[in-house]
């Protein structure tokens, strides 16, 4: 009888301790979860502010102003600068390409001559 | 009670125990049991005390979250490419609990030193009502001001986490996205329409309202329209760019407003001309007129109508602006925009047919769109013969530009009705496939509009390498009971068109309100001289970005057979 009572008491105390411990754990975990949630919310808020700032920095008006300032030689593409594939394969365009190629060849020969001359000058020195 | 009884029994047994050892044993057991019970009860009480005194602090910490349950965050609004148009950012708002404030004068004096506060008298007035537990002192303050106020350490003055609606592109989308009040409640545009749906629980909720708008196109259309309004001295203007399936990718109405600063906004600036501006559209309605004539079989491209003499109906005289003064085919009547011939075309199919088609086109009903500010058309009370003739060339029936764009797009895009939208739906609305005109009629109308750009009044809208089609319209503005005298008359000039003509993908509508004559326009104020060049400038910038079939300008061969071109 005594043993049974002692064991029951021991079990009761053990269960009490466990329950108490679980409760504490839950409270602390909840606190930690709330902390994490708050942190997530803060991060999301920060991301939103950064996104808004990034969008503001990329507004078309601002980009146009920056292009005007730093890309003076570039202008928006106009429709007459584009051609269709059919036009691309037309002969006069090919001729233009050939002409350009000839120009490139001449420039390249001139460049090689220049390099050769420079080499001679250096050797003489 | 049983416990007490057992204890008293225990004392009685104790008295008798000296003579009875077994009873002493029983008494010990009972005492042990009673002692354990007492220990358990006191343990419980101690635990509860610890719970209340120690653990409840954490619970209090939880409840001290500075977010008010009444303040709700709103979802972002983005364009079709995911570019941010409207968002909510975290701010702080200052409030007071007057019942807790100790010294109102001292608190008011201290708060008055902080910039952005409502002023000492106003603060005192707010704090004087001791029965209240909540009064706003300042909304959406900066983090620096928040720190300054908190450093004052005034009892009863607190901070709340708040959200401020930000419109990143300021005026650019003002009439379509709209605006919200200080609490984030939508009061105009899409913000108003989707006010409830836009509320989200917290920042981790990633829902967004995806619109069909395109930031790049909106910026181009806005810039070019603004330039045209300035160049031609117009009182205002509006423009819309739409895909042929009804998705609006740019909507601009000038003057506009900055939704971030509503204090400096006028009612005129908040008027959306695209959806609310209901007015007579002039020669643009000739597109509908020829569509009805061809579709109903009343006339064909080659049918001739005499436009030699003006028509007099009652007190009105129907005349042409720089008319050809000769019989014109239906094609010529459209390309040269003859009012006389258009009126005669309308006479050919009659009032009942015209009214039935207008009803089918949706010109007599309020247009459907997600923007809440939409105007209802002004329909003539009696549809007489004079009405039929005037509606043929754009007078007597007042509709909004949105309604007009939707109808013309439906006619030129195969003849099936489209419903304009600004919301990018993952599952598009079930198209009820209402046929307005036959596909053959649609193709002819498109070719007629291409002819108007190649040889007619909309020449200045054409660009190299792309088949632009369109039509211009100039209408007098109603002034009092009429249209005013020659010297005081104000006009509304409109261009409606699209590209490419063989497979239309995009439609553009541009309107200028009361443009002025200039040296550049040789004193003319008709649409061909102001709004058509504005449309040209827009096309020139958007076509390289949008159009896949550049360098393929087609010639309207079918229509050309019926058009006699005159060399100047």
């Amino acid at each position: 009888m005594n043993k049974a009572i002692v064991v029951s008491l021991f079990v009761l105390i053990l269960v009490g301790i466990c329950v108490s411990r679980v409760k504490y754990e839950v409270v602390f975990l909840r606190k930690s979860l709330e902390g994490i949630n708050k942190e997530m919310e803060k991060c999301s808020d920060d991301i939103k502010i950064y996104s808004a700032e990034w969008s503001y920095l990329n507004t078309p008006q601002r980009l146009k102003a920056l292009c005007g300032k730093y890309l003076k030689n570039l202008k928006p593409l106009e429709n007459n600068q584009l051609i269709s594939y059919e036009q691309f394969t037309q002969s006069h365009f090919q001729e233009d390409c050939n002409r350009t190629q000839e120009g490139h060849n001449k420039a390249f020969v001139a460049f090689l001559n220049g390099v050769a001359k420079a080499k001679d000058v250096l050797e003489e020195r | 009670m049983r416990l007490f009884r057992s204890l008293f029994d225990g004392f009685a047994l104790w008295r008798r125990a000296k003579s009875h050892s077994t009873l002493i044993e029983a008494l010990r057991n009972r005492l042990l049991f009673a002692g354990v019970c007492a220990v358990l009860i006191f343990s419980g009480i101690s635990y509860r005390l610890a719970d209340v005194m120690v653990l409840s602090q954490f619970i209090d910490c939880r409840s001290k979250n500075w977010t008010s349950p009444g303040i709700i965050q709103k979802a972002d609004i983005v364009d079709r490419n995911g570019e941010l148009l409207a968002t909510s950012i975290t701010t702080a708002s200052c409030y007071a609990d007057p019942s807790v404030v100790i010294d109102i004068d001292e608190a008011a004096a201290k708060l008055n030193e902080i910039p952005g506060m409502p002023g000492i008298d106003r603060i005192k007035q707010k704090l004087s009502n001791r029965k209240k537990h909540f009064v706003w002192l300042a909304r959406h303050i900066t983090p620096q001001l928040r720190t300054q106020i908190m450093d004052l350490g005034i009892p009863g003055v607190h901070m709340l986490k708040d959200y401020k609606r930000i419109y990143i592109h300021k005026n650019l989308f003002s009439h379509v996205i709209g605006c919200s009040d200080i609490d984030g409640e939508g009061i105009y545009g899409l913000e108003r329409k989707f006010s409830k749906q836009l509320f989200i629980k917290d920042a981790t909720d990633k829902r967004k309202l995806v619109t069909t708008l395109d930031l790049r196109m909106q910026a181009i259309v806005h810039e070019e329209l603004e330039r045209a309004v300035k160049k031609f001295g117009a009182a205002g203007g509006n423009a819309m760019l739409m895909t042929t399936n009804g998705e609006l990718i740019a909507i601009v109405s000038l003057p506009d407003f900055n939704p971030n600063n509503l204090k400096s906004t006028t009612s005129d600036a908040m008027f959306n001309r695209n959806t609310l501006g209901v007015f007579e559209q002039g020669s643009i309605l000739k597109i509908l007129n020829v569509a009805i004539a061809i579709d109903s079989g009343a006339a064909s491209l080659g049918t001739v109508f005499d436009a030699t003499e003006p028509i007099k109906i009652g007190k009105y005289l129907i005349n042409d602006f720089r008319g050809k003064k000769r019989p014109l085919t239906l094609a010529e009547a459209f390309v040269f925009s003859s009012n006389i011939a258009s009126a005669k075309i309308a006479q050919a199919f009659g009032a009942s047919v015209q009214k039935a088609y207008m009803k089918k086109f949706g010109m007599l009903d309020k247009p459907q769109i997600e923007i809440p500010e939409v105007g209802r058309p002004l329909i003539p009370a009696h549809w007489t013969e004079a009405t039929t003739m005037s509606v043929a060339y754009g007078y007597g029936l007042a509709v909004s530009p949105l309604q007009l764009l939707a109808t013309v797009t439906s006619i030129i895009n195969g003849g099936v009705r489209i419903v304009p939208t600004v919301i990018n739906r993952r599952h598009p609305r079930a198209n009820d496939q209402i046929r307005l005109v036959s596909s053959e009629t649609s193709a002819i109308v498109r070719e007629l509009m291409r002819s108007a750009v190649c040889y007619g009044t909309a020449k200045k809208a054409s660009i190299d390498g792309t088949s632009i089609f369109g039509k211009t319209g100039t209408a007098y503005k109603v002034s009092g009971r009429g249209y005013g005298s020659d010297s005081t008359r104000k006009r509304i000039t409109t261009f409606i068109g699209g590209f490419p003509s063989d497979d239309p993908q995009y439609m553009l509508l541009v309107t200028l309100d009361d443009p002025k004559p200039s040296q550049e326009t040789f004193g003319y104020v008709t649409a061909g001289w102001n709004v058509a060049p504005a449309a040209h400038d827009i096309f020139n910038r958007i076509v390289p970005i949008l159009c896949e079939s550049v360098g393929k300008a087609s010639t309207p061969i079918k229509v050309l057979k019926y058009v006699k071109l005159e060399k100047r």
Side-chain angles (χ1 to χ4, degrees):
Chain A
M1 182 65 183
N2 280 346
K3 271 187 183 174
I5 290 168
V6 169
V7 169
S8 306
L9 281 173
F10 181 73
V11 169
L12 195 69
I13 291 162
L14 201 71
V15 168
I17 291 166
C18 288
V19 168
S20 167
R21 198 173 163 75
V22 166
K23 186 174 176 180
Y24 273 101
E25 282 290 315
V26 168
V27 167
F28 283 112
L29 281 174
R30 188 186 283 175
K31 195 191 160 200
S32 137
L33 178 70
E34 269 162 17
I36 292 165
N37 280 340
K38 264 188 184 176
E39 209 169 310
M40 274 171 63
E41 203 179 317
K42 196 182 173 302
C43 284
S44 297
D45 286 342
D46 288 347
I47 289 168
K48 284 201 107 178
I49 291 170
Y50 292 137
S51 310
E53 205 165 324
W54 180 246
S55 296
Y56 179 72
L57 291 173
N58 283 294
T59 48
Q61 294 93 327
R62 186 175 175 275
L63 290 181
K64 198 185 170 195
L66 289 175
C67 286
K69 192 175 176 186
Y70 297 109
L71 304 170
K72 282 175 186 164
N73 297 328
L74 293 178
K75 283 180 181 175
L77 191 68
E78 287 195 359
N79 195 51
N80 55 18
Q81 290 174 270
L82 299 175
I83 55 164
S84 65
Y85 179 71
E86 288 77 18
Q87 284 173 317
F88 179 76
T89 51
Q90 274 171 11
S91 58
H92 70 271
F93 187 74
Q94 287 292 346
E95 280 171 18
D96 281 353
C97 288
N98 293 339
R99 218 175 292 141
T100 317
Q101 190 60 47
E102 276 175 26
H104 285 166
N105 291 343
K106 279 180 187 171
F108 187 62
V109 170
F111 170 72
L112 288 179
N113 289 337
V115 170
K117 273 183 187 173
K119 202 178 170 185
D120 293 343
V121 170
L122 284 171
E123 277 173 4
E124 277 175 20
R125 281 183 183 176
Chain B
M1 284 302 288
R2 268 180 91 177
L3 181 69
F4 282 110
R5 201 179 295 152
S6 68
L7 282 172
F8 286 124
D9 287 352
F11 286 119
L13 282 168
W14 181 259
R15 281 198 296 273
R16 281 179 281 164
K18 289 168 187 169
S19 59
H20 209 296
S21 62
T22 51
L23 282 174
I24 292 167
E25 187 66 26
L27 185 62
R28 268 186 198 158
N29 287 341
R30 287 181 185 190
L31 273 172
L32 187 68
F33 178 72
V36 167
C37 285
V39 167
L40 283 174
I41 289 163
F42 279 104
S43 303
I45 291 166
S46 308
Y47 172 75
R48 185 62 193 144
L49 280 170
D51 190 33
V52 169
M53 289 189 290
V54 182
L55 296 177
S56 59
Q57 286 180 5
F58 300 129
I59 295 160
D60 282 348
C61 282
R62 284 203 303 272
S63 66
K64 277 179 184 169
N65 191 340
W66 73 306
T67 310
S68 163
I71 295 168
I72 310 164
Q73 200 175 357
K74 282 178 90 178
D76 293 344
I77 302 177
V78 296
D79 81 343
R80 64 195 299 132
N81 302 314
E83 294 290 342
L84 211 54
L85 307 180
T87 188
S88 295
I89 60 162
T90 314
T91 58
S93 287
C94 179
Y95 76 97
D97 181 352
S99 64
V100 181
V101 177
I102 301 162
D103 187 344
I104 293 174
D105 293 332
E106 189 194 349
K110 277 183 177 176
L111 287 169
N112 192 43
E113 287 170 15
I114 307 289
M117 281 288 163
I120 194 156
D121 295 331
R122 188 91 182 97
I123 296 170
K124 276 184 187 174
Q125 191 194 341
K126 284 184 174 204
L127 297 179
S128 58
N129 192 348
R130 293 283 189 179
K131 285 180 187 170
K132 276 192 175 179
H133 292 282
F134 187 96
V135 281
W136 284 118
L137 289 178
R139 298 293 299 273
H140 306 307
I141 55 174
T142 59
Q144 289 87 349
L145 288 183
R146 178 176 174 252
T147 314
Q148 278 183 39
I149 294 169
M150 293 314 283
D151 286 348
L152 293 174
I154 304 166
V157 174
H158 307 285
M159 287 292 162
L160 268 181
K161 185 179 180 181
D162 206 348
Y163 294 100
K164 190 179 185 184
R165 201 68 170 153
I166 298 286
Y167 302 94
I168 292 148
H169 303 284
K170 296 175 187 169
N171 296 36
L172 198 56
F173 292 93
S174 55
H175 284 109
V176 55
I177 300 296
C179 53
S180 303
D181 63 11
I182 199 160
D183 294 318
E185 193 79 39
I187 53 172
Y188 188 75
L190 290 179
E191 287 277 15
R192 183 175 150 209
K193 176 75 179 178
F194 296 101
S195 194
K196 293 265 179 332
Q197 292 92 323
L198 280 170
F199 282 133
I200 55 170
K201 202 177 159 193
D202 52 46
T204 51
D205 190 341
K206 299 291 177 201
R207 279 182 301 153
K208 285 174 185 171
L209 180 67
V210 184
T211 63
T212 57
L213 302 162
D214 188 325
L215 173 62
R216 302 165 304 166
M217 296 304 122
Q218 182 83 8
I220 291 170
V221 174
H222 189 277
E223 191 185 322
E224 293 300 338
L225 184 69
E226 208 167 32
R227 189 178 295 161
V229 166
K230 210 172 172 183
K231 187 175 173 185
F232 300 108
N238 58 283
M240 280 181 284
L241 181 64
M242 187 169 83
T243 61
T244 43
N245 62 2
E247 291 181 357
L248 280 152
I249 53 180
I251 311 176
V252 182
S253 176
L254 295 176
D256 51 16
F257 62 97
N258 183 357
N260 296 313
N261 182 17
L262 291 176
K263 282 178 188 169
S264 58
T265 303
T266 60
S267 58
D268 186 35
M270 286 193 82
F271 185 80
N272 188 350
R273 290 164 185 267
N274 285 308
T275 55
L276 278 174
V278 174
F279 47 84
E280 291 164 320
Q281 298 286 351
S283 297
I284 299 286
L285 255 66
K286 286 171 189 165
I287 301 169
L288 278 61
N289 196 45
V290 293
I292 298 170
I294 295 166
D295 199 62
S296 65
S300 63
L301 281 175
T303 311
V304 178
F305 298 90
D306 188 12
T308 318
E309 295 292 328
I311 307 168
K312 190 160 171 50
I313 293 228
K315 59 178 180 176
Y316 299 107
L317 186 74
I318 300 173
N319 208 344
D320 283 345
F321 174 74
R322 297 173 73 196
K324 299 287 173 193
K325 307 225 179 280
R326 64 174 169 87
L328 300 171
T329 61
L330 181 139
E332 286 175 322
F334 184 86
V335 174
F336 303 132
S337 200
S338 165
N339 294 341
I340 302 167
S342 294
K344 287 188 174 174
I345 292 168
Q347 274 181 318
F349 51 73
S352 57
V353 172
Q354 188 187 51
K355 200 176 175 183
Y357 266 97
M358 287 294 178
K359 179 79 184 162
K360 195 158 81 164
F361 291 162
M363 295 289 274
L364 308 183
D365 302 307
K366 195 176 169 183
Q368 292 173 29
I369 194 163
E370 294 84 1
I371 300 169
E373 298 81 21
V374 178
R376 199 175 278 279
L378 299 173
I379 309 158
H382 306 286
W383 209 287
T384 58
E385 195 189 356
T387 310
T388 308
M389 290 168 84
S390 62
V391 167
Y393 60 92
Y395 285 91
L397 177 66
V399 294
S400 64
L402 174 80
Q403 203 163 4
L404 188 71
L405 181 65
T407 303
V408 173
T409 306
S410 304
I411 291 171
I412 62 95
N413 189 32
V416 177
R417 179 186 233 168
I418 59 109
V419 180
T421 180
V422 284
I423 300 300
N424 207 341
R425 291 163 209 277
R426 199 176 291 170
H427 305 290
R429 278 191 284 212
N431 201 341
D432 39 8
Q433 292 281 318
I434 299 171
R435 182 157 284 285
L436 303 184
V437 291
S438 67
S439 55
E440 293 79 20
T441 306
S442 172
I444 292 170
V445 173
R446 219 161 53 223
E447 199 155 317
L448 280 169
M449 287 172 77
R450 174 73 185 139
S451 310
V453 170
C454 291
Y455 316 106
T457 51
K459 259 183 210 167
K460 288 184 189 296
S462 71
I463 57 168
D464 293 337
T466 303
S467 300
I468 302 289
F469 60 96
K471 178 83 185 84
T472 56
T474 308
Y476 294 122
K477 274 178 87 174
V478 175
S479 167
R481 284 182 154 267
Y483 298 99
S485 62
D486 282 346
S487 57
T488 60
R489 268 178 188 167
K490 290 178 179 176
R491 295 165 179 84
I492 287 181
T493 56
T494 309
F495 170 85
I496 189 165
F499 62 91
S501 64
D502 46 347
D503 177 25
Q505 300 292 319
Y506 297 94
M507 288 294 288
L508 175 74
L509 179 142
V510 190
T511 300
L512 289 177
D513 181 5
D514 190 22
K516 307 288 182 305
S518 67
Q519 215 171 8
E520 199 183 326
T521 65
F522 301 101
Y524 290 114
V525 275
T526 49
W529 286 96
N530 45 52
V531 82
H536 163 90
D537 293 343
I538 295 173
F539 281 133
N540 210 22
R541 288 182 65 185
I542 63 170
V543 168
I545 303 170
L546 295 175
C547 194
E548 289 166 8
S549 56
V550 287
K552 288 180 186 172
S554 64
T555 311
I557 302 159
K558 265 189 209 171
V559 172
L560 264 183
K561 283 195 283 186
Y562 304 101
V563 179
K564 191 180 162 192
L565 299 170
E566 290 156 20
K567 284 182 184 174
R568 286 185 184 174

